[in-house]
Amino acid sequence: KQEVTQIPAALSVPEGENLVLNCSFTDSAIYNLQWFRQDPGKGLTSLLLIQSSQREQTSGRLNASLDKSSGRSTLYIAASQPGDSATYLCAVRRMDSSYKLIFGSGTRLLVRP
Amino acid sequence: GAGVSQSPSNKVTEKGKDVELRCDPISGHTALYWYRQRLGQGLEFLIYFQGNSAPDKSGLPSDRFSAERTGESVSTLTIQRTQQEDSAVYLCASSLESMNTGELFFGEGSRLTVL
């Protein structure tokens, strides 16, 4: 059974800091991994999608890496801003049930002005 | 439309009533997903549509839950005889590809409160 874990559950940092969010999964047989952000009371916004054959993806101040063999992904946020405050979720798409994304429980990020 | 649209955004109902939640996926997206998110918890997979068929309904919590999709577009999630434990945000997502590599795009969700 695929399990996705995100550490830490919550993080508070001062504005301007670079930070790393972690995601680990137990079964390395995945098609892809996707990072989302969720603002309170809102839906999920897709940030980055990494296919299993890729090592990383970048979008603006965000960089996501994938190490499939060790079952890990990191989301790096450079020069954090108060607007980055949200819950960040990672999700993996398994090879044997490829239509289903398995989600982690998220990391709640607060960037203090 | 430009994104996934869900309605209603908020629904308050009394225990025992039936509710219908609607999802309009991004135009051309063949795959459609329903997830449930209880307060303070992660996303729970409910059902997946490929076109108008639902190859996997195993995530539906009970036989009070059903979903359909018509015209490879709009989907409705119906909850009969609602219970308080059904209170949650119901999220719909769609993706362009039916295969495994498609990126999922989510709607804003329908918040259901059962009194």
Side-chain angles (χ1 to χ4, degrees):
Chain A
K1 179 185 176 185
Q2 178 71 274
E3 293 184 359
V4 181
T5 304
Q6 291 188 246
I7 294 173
L11 183 62
S12 178
V13 300
E15 181 176 5
E17 271 203 10
N18 302 324
L19 57 99
V20 174
L21 307 180
N22 297 292
C23 172
S24 61
F25 45 96
T26 53
D27 185 348
S28 61
I30 64 169
Y31 279 119
N32 59 44
L33 183 146
Q34 195 167 352
W35 281 94
F36 298 87
R37 73 173 275 168
Q38 185 175 32
D39 293 283
K42 300 289 187 180
L44 277 67
T45 300
S46 177
L47 297 174
L48 291 164
L49 172 70
I50 310 177
Q51 304 297 347
S52 61
S53 58
Q54 299 175 322
R55 297 283 293 181
E56 66 178 334
Q57 283 286 335
T58 298
S59 176
R61 294 182 293 108
L62 304 179
N63 176 278
S65 67
L66 175 64
D67 184 343
K68 206 171 63 163
S69 60
S70 66
R72 293 179 183 177
S73 176
T74 62
L75 179 66
Y76 176 82
I77 303 177
S80 58
Q81 302 171 358
D84 295 331
S85 299
T87 295
Y88 289 80
L89 296 155
C90 70
V92 299
R93 193 188 292 265
R94 293 180 61 179
M95 278 190 168
D96 57 353
S97 56
S98 61
Y99 46 81
K100 189 183 302 184
L101 257 64
I102 309 298
F103 280 85
S105 53
T107 294
R108 293 190 315 277
L109 173 66
L110 174 65
V111 180
R112 308 186 303 271
Chain B
V4 178
S5 177
Q6 292 188 246
S7 63
S9 55
N10 278 287
K11 176 72 176 179
V12 180
T13 190
E14 293 179 349
K15 178 181 173 181
K17 301 277 190 180
D18 297 350
V19 296
E20 275 193 2
L21 308 177
R22 176 187 169 108
C23 173
D24 280 278
I26 294 172
S27 178
H29 280 196
T30 57
L32 185 147
Y33 311 76
W34 284 98
Y35 282 83
R36 179 170 72 175
Q37 187 175 33
R38 289 191 166 119
L39 185 64
Q41 298 187 21
L43 271 76
E44 176 186 1
F45 171 82
L46 297 179
I47 190 170
Y48 153 79
F49 286 93
Q50 175 50 42
N52 293 339
S53 65
D56 185 357
K57 303 179 182 179
S58 63
L60 295 177
S62 75
D63 58 9
R64 296 186 295 105
F65 287 72
S66 63
E68 65 175 18
R69 188 181 186 193
T70 56
E72 294 196 352
S73 58
V74 173
S75 175
T76 56
L77 177 68
T78 302
I79 309 173
Q80 295 178 309
R81 305 181 303 281
T82 51
Q83 303 294 313
Q84 288 183 332
E85 64 262 26
D86 299 335
S87 296
V89 176
Y90 290 82
L91 292 161
C92 176
S94 69
S95 67
L96 177 61
E97 300 172 57
S98 59
M99 299 302 288
N100 43 66
T101 56
E103 184 176 6
L104 259 66
F105 297 90
F106 279 81
E108 293 289 301
S110 291
R111 182 179 299 277
L112 175 65
T113 302
V114 182
L115 302 176

